[in-house]
Amino acid sequence: MDLSSLTLLVEILDAGNLSQAARKLKMTRANVSYHLNQLEKSVGVQLVRRTTRRVEPTEVGARLYEHGRSIVNEVLAAQETIATLGQGLQGRVGLSVPSGYGQMVMSPWLLEFKRLYPGIVLDVLFENRVDDLVRDGVDIAVRVMPEPPPLLVARDLGSVRYLACASAAWAAQHGLPDSLEALRAAPVITSGVVGRQLRLRAYQGEAREEITLEPTLISEHFPFLRDAILGGLGVGLVPDYVVQDAIAAGQVLTALDHYRLSIFGTHMYLLYMPNRHQTRAVRTCIDFILGQSRG
């Protein structure tokens, strides 16, 4: 068994399937499959279970993967040390952030990070996908979730509070909803949902209620939702950071404040892969974001 064989196993299990590993390694799928078969023959046991869509390690494969991942990380760390010797902080950081929180809260942080570390290439994706969060090209993902994925390292960035809110003008004309049933009858403005129906969870102490809503305006672009709320088009269900300055200015009023509302989750998490080599640039970015969220 040599380093290339271990690297192949690590890439296959990191990718999750042979086709994706082949693209990463710039090999054909058949070639990747052949080398994997040769590795399994050389060790005398099955290392990977293959299905039509995914590959998963056997118990022996998982143990071998851990050794291989450690070796690959050490090689990458040595290469980075040589490449950056005598230079300032350099490298690339791929970052995936939610469209709303990323634009309205994180943008100033990331611009400041870039000012502090001009040698780092910052590649920022504004997206709300929740499948395959940390993938090729993405080192760090930030998401609102009920619970973080069990296979990723999750750092808590704090709680997210959803508000039921409307412009002062809309509230004066229609009145703010004073119950969940009244909210059901109101024109609701909120972020993207699957299909037309939205499940809103409302907590009061230990008690939990859940209602189904049919929003009248839906978008993943939170500045647009903010404009719609300020424009008096209905009752917004948005995170507090979307309208907190408008609330302070008296332009927006809140309703159902005795409830703790949740749509997609109540916590923001910074996520990254365990065991994967992190460059100095990635580690510095993680520490910077954690510092900003606590500041």
Side-chain angles (χ1 to χ4, degrees):
M1 184 190 310
D2 56 19
L3 179 59
S4 62
S5 298
L6 277 177
T7 301
L8 178 81
L9 179 64
V10 168
E11 292 292 351
I12 289 171
L13 292 176
D14 278 349
N17 63 67
L18 297 184
S19 298
Q20 198 165 325
R23 285 193 291 271
K24 179 77 178 293
L25 294 167
K26 294 182 172 57
M27 298 166 62
T28 65
R29 187 184 186 283
N31 204 5
V32 170
S33 181
Y34 170 78
H35 284 290
L36 175 59
N37 288 334
Q38 292 300 111
L39 175 60
E40 289 181 323
K41 284 181 181 178
S42 71
V43 297
V45 294
Q46 183 182 6
L47 300 175
V48 170
R49 297 188 191 91
R50 301 159 179 80
T51 66
T52 54
R53 293 189 176 183
R54 292 194 59 80
V55 293
E56 295 180 352
T58 62
E59 182 179 350
V60 175
R63 292 183 182 180
L64 195 56
Y65 168 85
E66 293 298 328
H67 290 295
R69 169 47 68 191
S70 297
I71 293 170
V72 169
N73 285 347
E74 289 297 327
V75 170
L76 291 172
Q79 291 172 342
E80 182 185 9
T81 298
I82 295 170
T84 60
L85 197 63
Q87 300 178 2
L89 196 58
Q90 296 184 341
R92 177 193 172 279
V93 178
L95 182 62
S96 172
V97 300
S99 59
Y101 188 78
Q103 182 173 351
M104 304 182 81
V105 177
M106 293 189 68
S107 284
W109 304 354
L110 300 178
L111 295 177
E112 178 61 22
F113 179 82
K114 183 60 182 170
R115 290 188 191 99
L116 291 172
Y117 305 102
I120 293 178
V121 175
L122 201 56
D123 188 350
V124 185
L125 298 171
F126 290 84
E127 56 182 3
N128 296 316
R129 60 183 293 179
V130 294
D131 60 314
D132 197 17
L133 286 174
V134 182
R135 55 196 184 279
D136 281 353
V138 175
D139 302 295
I140 308 165
V142 174
R143 288 293 184 276
V144 178
M145 308 181 113
E147 296 288 340
L151 298 181
L152 297 179
V153 177
R155 308 290 296 274
D156 196 339
L157 295 180
S159 60
V160 175
R161 181 178 173 228
Y162 273 82
L163 301 176
C165 60
S167 70
W170 192 92
Q173 183 176 356
H174 302 280
L176 291 169
D178 57 2
S179 68
L180 295 177
E181 283 304 315
L183 179 62
R184 194 198 299 271
V188 171
I189 300 166
T190 192
S191 51
V193 293
V194 178
R196 292 191 60 208
Q197 292 191 329
L198 165 75
R199 285 189 303 173
L200 174 70
R201 288 170 290 279
Y203 301 87
Q204 199 171 17
E206 295 298 318
R208 164 181 158 162
E209 298 178 59
E210 186 172 302
I211 62 169
T212 301
L213 304 172
E214 293 190 359
T216 185
L217 193 154
I218 302 167
S219 176
E220 292 188 352
H221 189 65
F222 282 81
F224 174 67
L225 296 179
R226 171 190 166 88
D227 289 344
I229 294 167
L230 289 171
L233 296 182
V235 177
L237 282 176
V238 293
D240 55 1
Y241 59 79
V242 176
V243 290
Q244 58 190 3
D245 61 330
I247 292 172
Q251 297 172 288
V252 168
L253 305 178
T254 61
L256 304 176
D257 294 331
H258 53 293
Y259 284 108
R260 183 164 49 91
L261 304 176
S262 173
I263 299 175
F264 302 111
T266 57
H267 273 77
M268 186 78 66
Y269 295 100
L270 183 150
L271 307 163
Y272 54 88
M273 287 288 290
N275 302 323
R276 182 180 292 179
H277 170 67
Q278 291 176 347
T279 64
R280 287 177 57 215
V282 171
R283 293 196 303 271
T284 301
C285 188
I286 289 173
D287 291 342
F288 182 85
I289 293 172
L290 290 173
Q292 291 293 317
S293 69
R294 292 163 184 164

